[in-house]
Amino acid sequence: MPLSAVDVISPAFVRMKQHLFAPFRFGQWVRLAIVGFLAGELGSAGFGSRFPSSMPFPQDPASSGPNLPFGGLLLFAILFLLGLLVLAVGVAFIYVGSRMQFVLFDSVLAGECRIREFWRRRGDIAFRYFIWQLLFALCIFIGMILLVGIPLLFAYSVGWFSNPREHLLPLVAGGILLLLVFLAFLVVIGTVKVLVKDFVVPQMVFDNVSVGEGWKRLWSMMILEKGGYAGYIAMKIVLSFAAAVILSSVMAVVFLVLLIPVGGAGAITVLLGKAAGLTWNPLTIAIAIVVGGIVLMAFLIIATLISVPAVVFFPAYAIHFFAERYPALRSVLYPPSTVPET
């Protein structure tokens, strides 16, 4: 009888301790932090930018008319290039994250993080995983447009937005329904993403299958053991919440301790600058921005290092659970001389 989602918590925790603390190796810790961050195991990183809601164009068309078309075209070109840059950076991060997902899997399975070796090992299957991630992201984007766009178009076409007070009930009811559907959509997206990452990636490693073929196999397994996989998803939600609480508490304490000297140094620097007659000008603002960026980067690095136990535990948890149901993984995780009794 395969071990349940609760039963594999202990062996996953033991594997995590062995990887990180038996013995403790700072280099190993740093490498796992890098891999976990790039693989997206620390959470999704958002890349966005804010633009002013209103541009400071001159209000007198007579004085600015000849320059407005060129200015508008230049602004459009800049925004278009920025959009392409953001898209390119996003695609690059998805590619690196796809490769690092296999690096993390091999690292947890082997008990040793060797980034360069593991990066070269899974190039072909990681590229297939990368293509799937792009297509999945495109499907999410289209689904979001349809999910939000169709209800809004319907409400607009029947005139609900023209006189919202007269259609308050359908607007409120429709908004609540749309919110529930949207949340359900997010749950489906998250579940598919987790199942592919946890259970399809190992099949790609050992059987060199595509994501689609791995998903078909996984679906057959889930049909035969609905309770086991449902329990895994539920337990992973609970463990993720517990890990978030613990790590957030540790980070809060560490950041509070660090903010005291950093904040004190900043306050002293500002006071000394004022005493020396320095004022806010482009140079001092640029220096403040650079220093602030360095401080934020330092806090991000510290947060990443603190999160390493979770980076190792959750892949180990998935590996131990799936090894009970996937013989190819089980034979590697438990060599013949160490196969546990079930």
Side-chain angles (χ1 to χ4, degrees), residues 199-218:
F199 304 139
V200 174
V201 164
Q203 297 180 65
M204 298 178 71
V205 169
F206 291 105
D207 294 335
N208 195 27
V209 298
S210 64
V211 177
E213 178 61 28
W215 179 262
K216 291 180 181 177
R217 294 181 175 187
L218 176 62

Side-chain angles (χ1 to χ4, degrees), residues 1 12 32 43 52 87 124 132 137 160 190 196 212 229 231 233 238 250 260:
M1 186 71 179
L32 285 168
L87 180 62
D124 293 339
W132 176 83
W160 288 0
V196 170
Y229 284 93
I233 294 173
V238 173
V250 174
I260 295 175

Side-chain angles (χ1 to χ4, degrees), residues 38-102:
L38 294 176
E41 290 295 321
L42 305 182
S44 57
F47 296 91
S49 57
R50 285 189 174 183
F51 296 97
S53 58
S54 59
M55 300 302 296
F57 290 122
Q59 300 298 319
D60 184 4
S63 61
S64 59
N67 297 325
L68 186 56
F70 175 76
L73 182 61
L74 179 61
L75 177 62
F76 175 80
I78 292 174
L79 293 179
F80 179 74
L81 291 176
L82 285 176
L84 288 180
L85 178 61
V86 171
L87 180 62
V89 171
V91 172
F93 265 90
I94 293 176
Y95 175 75
V96 173
S98 301
R99 297 291 296 266
M100 285 299 181
Q101 191 64 61
F102 290 89

